[in-house]
PDB file of all heavy atoms in Angstrom:
ATOM      1  N   ALA A 111      -9.009  -7.677  -3.018  1.00  0.00           N
ATOM      2  CA  ALA A 111      -7.766  -8.523  -3.194  1.00  0.00           C
ATOM      3  C   ALA A 111      -8.130  -9.832  -3.877  1.00  0.00           C
ATOM      4  O   ALA A 111      -7.232 -10.524  -4.427  1.00  0.00           O
ATOM      5  CB  ALA A 111      -7.115  -8.771  -1.851  1.00  0.00           C
ATOM      6  N   SER A 112      -9.440 -10.231  -3.893  1.00  0.00           N
ATOM      7  CA  SER A 112      -9.788 -11.437  -4.606  1.00  0.00           C
ATOM      8  C   SER A 112      -9.900 -11.205  -6.157  1.00  0.00           C
ATOM      9  O   SER A 112     -10.180 -12.186  -6.903  1.00  0.00           O
ATOM     10  CB  SER A 112     -11.052 -11.999  -4.090  1.00  0.00           C
ATOM     11  OG  SER A 112     -12.185 -11.195  -4.456  1.00  0.00           O
ATOM     12  N   LEU A 113      -9.816  -9.964  -6.594  1.00  0.00           N
ATOM     13  CA  LEU A 113      -9.920  -9.657  -8.019  1.00  0.00           C
ATOM     14  C   LEU A 113      -8.516  -9.670  -8.640  1.00  0.00           C
ATOM     15  O   LEU A 113      -7.533  -9.330  -7.910  1.00  0.00           O
ATOM     16  CB  LEU A 113     -10.585  -8.320  -8.198  1.00  0.00           C
ATOM     17  CG  LEU A 113     -12.015  -8.194  -7.723  1.00  0.00           C
ATOM     18  CD1 LEU A 113     -12.488  -6.742  -7.806  1.00  0.00           C
ATOM     19  CD2 LEU A 113     -12.932  -9.065  -8.505  1.00  0.00           C
ATOM     20  N   PRO A 114      -8.409  -9.821  -9.952  1.00  0.00           N
ATOM     21  CA  PRO A 114      -7.056  -9.827 -10.567  1.00  0.00           C
ATOM     22  C   PRO A 114      -6.616  -8.398 -10.843  1.00  0.00           C
ATOM     23  O   PRO A 114      -6.631  -7.911 -11.969  1.00  0.00           O
ATOM     24  CB  PRO A 114      -7.270 -10.621 -11.875  1.00  0.00           C
ATOM     25  CG  PRO A 114      -8.723 -10.405 -12.205  1.00  0.00           C
ATOM     26  CD  PRO A 114      -9.460 -10.247 -10.921  1.00  0.00           C
ATOM     27  N   VAL A 115      -6.285  -7.688  -9.758  1.00  0.00           N
ATOM     28  CA  VAL A 115      -5.930  -6.225  -9.892  1.00  0.00           C
ATOM     29  C   VAL A 115      -4.695  -5.973  -9.051  1.00  0.00           C
ATOM     30  O   VAL A 115      -4.463  -6.597  -8.035  1.00  0.00           O
ATOM     31  CB  VAL A 115      -7.017  -5.247  -9.457  1.00  0.00           C
ATOM     32  CG1 VAL A 115      -8.127  -5.195 -10.482  1.00  0.00           C
ATOM     33  CG2 VAL A 115      -7.552  -5.615  -8.095  1.00  0.00           C
ATOM     34  N   GLU A 116      -3.961  -4.875  -9.457  1.00  0.00           N
ATOM     35  CA  GLU A 116      -2.909  -4.337  -8.606  1.00  0.00           C
ATOM     36  C   GLU A 116      -3.570  -3.351  -7.650  1.00  0.00           C
ATOM     37  O   GLU A 116      -4.370  -2.434  -8.100  1.00  0.00           O
ATOM     38  CB  GLU A 116      -1.923  -3.593  -9.487  1.00  0.00           C
ATOM     39  CG  GLU A 116      -0.806  -2.913  -8.679  1.00  0.00           C
ATOM     40  CD  GLU A 116       0.080  -2.092  -9.635  1.00  0.00           C
ATOM     41  OE1 GLU A 116       1.015  -2.640 -10.208  1.00  0.00           O
ATOM     42  OE2 GLU A 116      -0.212  -0.868  -9.704  1.00  0.00           O
ATOM     43  N   LEU A 117      -3.334  -3.461  -6.369  1.00  0.00           N
ATOM     44  CA  LEU A 117      -4.024  -2.582  -5.429  1.00  0.00           C
ATOM     45  C   LEU A 117      -3.086  -1.506  -4.952  1.00  0.00           C
ATOM     46  O   LEU A 117      -1.910  -1.741  -4.680  1.00  0.00           O
ATOM     47  CB  LEU A 117      -4.537  -3.418  -4.207  1.00  0.00           C
ATOM     48  CG  LEU A 117      -5.637  -4.318  -4.538  1.00  0.00           C
ATOM     49  CD1 LEU A 117      -5.828  -5.290  -3.344  1.00  0.00           C
ATOM     50  CD2 LEU A 117      -6.915  -3.622  -4.808  1.00  0.00           C
ATOM     51  N   ALA A 118      -3.668  -0.291  -4.734  1.00  0.00           N
ATOM     52  CA  ALA A 118      -2.823   0.795  -4.220  1.00  0.00           C
ATOM     53  C   ALA A 118      -3.699   1.696  -3.351  1.00  0.00           C
ATOM     54  O   ALA A 118      -4.941   1.528  -3.358  1.00  0.00           O
ATOM     55  CB  ALA A 118      -2.310   1.635  -5.415  1.00  0.00           C
ATOM     56  N   ILE A 119      -3.095   2.551  -2.601  1.00  0.00           N
ATOM     57  CA  ILE A 119      -3.858   3.348  -1.703  1.00  0.00           C
ATOM     58  C   ILE A 119      -3.185   4.771  -1.595  1.00  0.00           C
ATOM     59  O   ILE A 119      -1.994   4.932  -1.662  1.00  0.00           O
ATOM     60  CB  ILE A 119      -3.981   2.795  -0.285  1.00  0.00           C
ATOM     61  CG1 ILE A 119      -5.015   3.584   0.565  1.00  0.00           C
ATOM     62  CG2 ILE A 119      -2.637   2.734   0.444  1.00  0.00           C
ATOM     63  CD1 ILE A 119      -5.414   2.843   1.808  1.00  0.00           C
ATOM     64  N   SER A 120      -4.033   5.781  -1.468  1.00  0.00           N
ATOM     65  CA  SER A 120      -3.549   7.214  -1.110  1.00  0.00           C
ATOM     66  C   SER A 120      -4.042   7.537   0.258  1.00  0.00           C
ATOM     67  O   SER A 120      -5.266   7.419   0.546  1.00  0.00           O
ATOM     68  CB  SER A 120      -4.114   8.187  -2.109  1.00  0.00           C
ATOM     69  OG  SER A 120      -3.635   7.956  -3.439  1.00  0.00           O
ATOM     70  N   THR A 121      -3.141   7.838   1.137  1.00  0.00           N
ATOM     71  CA  THR A 121      -3.500   8.020   2.569  1.00  0.00           C
ATOM     72  C   THR A 121      -2.694   9.217   3.128  1.00  0.00           C
ATOM     73  O   THR A 121      -1.637   9.595   2.613  1.00  0.00           O
ATOM     74  CB  THR A 121      -3.201   6.758   3.392  1.00  0.00           C
ATOM     75  OG1 THR A 121      -3.325   7.074   4.748  1.00  0.00           O
ATOM     76  CG2 THR A 121      -1.836   6.202   3.064  1.00  0.00           C
ATOM     77  N   ASN A 122      -3.175   9.792   4.231  1.00  0.00           N
ATOM     78  CA  ASN A 122      -2.376  10.780   4.948  1.00  0.00           C
ATOM     79  C   ASN A 122      -1.411  10.135   5.916  1.00  0.00           C
ATOM     80  O   ASN A 122      -0.681  10.838   6.568  1.00  0.00           O
ATOM     81  CB  ASN A 122      -3.314  11.865   5.598  1.00  0.00           C
ATOM     82  CG  ASN A 122      -4.222  11.244   6.616  1.00  0.00           C
ATOM     83  OD1 ASN A 122      -3.900  10.197   7.207  1.00  0.00           O
ATOM     84  ND2 ASN A 122      -5.362  11.837   6.801  1.00  0.00           N
ATOM     85  N   GLY A 123      -1.556   8.820   6.093  1.00  0.00           N
ATOM     86  CA  GLY A 123      -0.518   8.131   6.900  1.00  0.00           C
ATOM     87  C   GLY A 123      -0.784   7.974   8.308  1.00  0.00           C
ATOM     88  O   GLY A 123      -0.205   7.226   9.024  1.00  0.00           O
ATOM     89  N   ILE A 124      -1.796   8.687   8.867  1.00  0.00           N
ATOM     90  CA  ILE A 124      -1.976   8.710  10.275  1.00  0.00           C
ATOM     91  C   ILE A 124      -2.395   7.326  10.863  1.00  0.00           C
ATOM     92  O   ILE A 124      -1.916   6.924  11.939  1.00  0.00           O
ATOM     93  CB  ILE A 124      -3.110   9.741  10.651  1.00  0.00           C
ATOM     94  CG1 ILE A 124      -2.573  11.154  10.372  1.00  0.00           C
ATOM     95  CG2 ILE A 124      -3.463   9.676  12.161  1.00  0.00           C
ATOM     96  CD1 ILE A 124      -3.592  12.218  10.517  1.00  0.00           C
ATOM     97  N   LEU A 125      -3.161   6.571  10.123  1.00  0.00           N
ATOM     98  CA  LEU A 125      -3.630   5.261  10.617  1.00  0.00           C
ATOM     99  C   LEU A 125      -2.873   4.126   9.995  1.00  0.00           C
ATOM    100  O   LEU A 125      -3.283   2.861  10.216  1.00  0.00           O
ATOM    101  CB  LEU A 125      -5.173   5.117  10.393  1.00  0.00           C
ATOM    102  CG  LEU A 125      -6.022   6.126  11.084  1.00  0.00           C
ATOM    103  CD1 LEU A 125      -7.495   6.124  10.603  1.00  0.00           C
ATOM    104  CD2 LEU A 125      -5.961   5.913  12.578  1.00  0.00           C
ATOM    105  N   VAL A 126      -1.819   4.401   9.292  1.00  0.00           N
ATOM    106  CA  VAL A 126      -1.038   3.290   8.608  1.00  0.00           C
ATOM    107  C   VAL A 126      -0.579   2.186   9.520  1.00  0.00           C
ATOM    108  O   VAL A 126      -0.745   1.019   9.177  1.00  0.00           O
ATOM    109  CB  VAL A 126       0.094   3.992   7.772  1.00  0.00           C
ATOM    110  CG1 VAL A 126       1.204   2.967   7.557  1.00  0.00           C
ATOM    111  CG2 VAL A 126      -0.448   4.489   6.524  1.00  0.00           C
ATOM    112  N   ASP A 127      -0.093   2.571  10.710  1.00  0.00           N
ATOM    113  CA  ASP A 127       0.507   1.476  11.547  1.00  0.00           C
ATOM    114  C   ASP A 127      -0.543   0.369  11.922  1.00  0.00           C
ATOM    115  O   ASP A 127      -0.188  -0.759  12.089  1.00  0.00           O
ATOM    116  CB  ASP A 127       1.161   2.073  12.856  1.00  0.00           C
ATOM    117  CG  ASP A 127       0.208   3.097  13.512  1.00  0.00           C
ATOM    118  OD1 ASP A 127      -0.566   3.738  12.762  1.00  0.00           O
ATOM    119  OD2 ASP A 127       0.138   3.116  14.754  1.00  0.00           O
ATOM    120  N   LYS A 128      -1.840   0.823  11.972  1.00  0.00           N
ATOM    121  CA  LYS A 128      -2.798  -0.204  12.317  1.00  0.00           C
ATOM    122  C   LYS A 128      -3.170  -1.094  11.109  1.00  0.00           C
ATOM    123  O   LYS A 128      -3.942  -2.092  11.226  1.00  0.00           O
ATOM    124  CB  LYS A 128      -4.069   0.510  12.746  1.00  0.00           C
ATOM    125  CG  LYS A 128      -3.865   1.353  14.011  1.00  0.00           C
ATOM    126  CD  LYS A 128      -5.207   1.886  14.536  1.00  0.00           C
ATOM    127  CE  LYS A 128      -5.039   2.495  15.871  1.00  0.00           C
ATOM    128  NZ  LYS A 128      -4.049   3.538  15.991  1.00  0.00           N
ATOM    129  N   HIS A 129      -2.609  -0.805   9.961  1.00  0.00           N
ATOM    130  CA  HIS A 129      -3.025  -1.537   8.705  1.00  0.00           C
ATOM    131  C   HIS A 129      -1.896  -2.225   8.036  1.00  0.00           C
ATOM    132  O   HIS A 129      -2.136  -2.875   6.993  1.00  0.00           O
ATOM    133  CB  HIS A 129      -3.706  -0.580   7.769  1.00  0.00           C
ATOM    134  CG  HIS A 129      -5.071  -0.070   8.308  1.00  0.00           C
ATOM    135  ND1 HIS A 129      -5.143   1.039   9.054  1.00  0.00           N
ATOM    136  CD2 HIS A 129      -6.287  -0.538   8.121  1.00  0.00           C
ATOM    137  CE1 HIS A 129      -6.432   1.239   9.349  1.00  0.00           C
ATOM    138  NE2 HIS A 129      -7.110   0.274   8.800  1.00  0.00           N
ATOM    139  N   VAL A 130      -0.675  -2.111   8.463  1.00  0.00           N
ATOM    140  CA  VAL A 130       0.469  -2.686   7.795  1.00  0.00           C
ATOM    141  C   VAL A 130       0.286  -4.181   7.570  1.00  0.00           C
ATOM    142  O   VAL A 130       0.532  -4.725   6.486  1.00  0.00           O
ATOM    143  CB  VAL A 130       1.787  -2.401   8.589  1.00  0.00           C
ATOM    144  CG1 VAL A 130       2.909  -3.235   8.014  1.00  0.00           C
ATOM    145  CG2 VAL A 130       2.185  -0.949   8.383  1.00  0.00           C
ATOM    146  N   ALA A 131      -0.148  -4.884   8.598  1.00  0.00           N
ATOM    147  CA  ALA A 131      -0.328  -6.336   8.452  1.00  0.00           C
ATOM    148  C   ALA A 131      -1.364  -6.669   7.381  1.00  0.00           C
ATOM    149  O   ALA A 131      -1.190  -7.551   6.526  1.00  0.00           O
ATOM    150  CB  ALA A 131      -0.792  -6.937   9.814  1.00  0.00           C
ATOM    151  N   LEU A 132      -2.460  -5.883   7.336  1.00  0.00           N
ATOM    152  CA  LEU A 132      -3.495  -6.074   6.331  1.00  0.00           C
ATOM    153  C   LEU A 132      -2.979  -5.812   4.944  1.00  0.00           C
ATOM    154  O   LEU A 132      -3.219  -6.526   3.967  1.00  0.00           O
ATOM    155  CB  LEU A 132      -4.671  -5.117   6.667  1.00  0.00           C
ATOM    156  CG  LEU A 132      -5.900  -5.205   5.672  1.00  0.00           C
ATOM    157  CD1 LEU A 132      -6.618  -6.522   5.799  1.00  0.00           C
ATOM    158  CD2 LEU A 132      -6.877  -4.009   5.951  1.00  0.00           C
ATOM    159  N   PHE A 133      -2.216  -4.771   4.776  1.00  0.00           N
ATOM    160  CA  PHE A 133      -1.592  -4.409   3.494  1.00  0.00           C
ATOM    161  C   PHE A 133      -0.771  -5.631   2.984  1.00  0.00           C
ATOM    162  O   PHE A 133      -0.767  -6.001   1.821  1.00  0.00           O
ATOM    163  CB  PHE A 133      -0.699  -3.190   3.547  1.00  0.00           C
ATOM    164  CG  PHE A 133      -1.441  -1.855   3.858  1.00  0.00           C
ATOM    165  CD1 PHE A 133      -0.721  -0.786   4.316  1.00  0.00           C
ATOM    166  CD2 PHE A 133      -2.794  -1.766   3.643  1.00  0.00           C
ATOM    167  CE1 PHE A 133      -1.377   0.473   4.588  1.00  0.00           C
ATOM    168  CE2 PHE A 133      -3.489  -0.578   3.860  1.00  0.00           C
ATOM    169  CZ  PHE A 133      -2.714   0.484   4.326  1.00  0.00           C
TER     170      PHE A 133
END
Side-chain angles (χ1 to χ4, degrees):
S112 71
L113 298 172
V115 285
E116 177 187 276
L117 292 169
I119 189 168
S120 295
T121 170
N122 60 30
I124 294 173
L125 297 171
V126 153
D127 48 325
K128 298 188 170 56
H129 293 87
V130 166
L132 178 69
F133 293 161

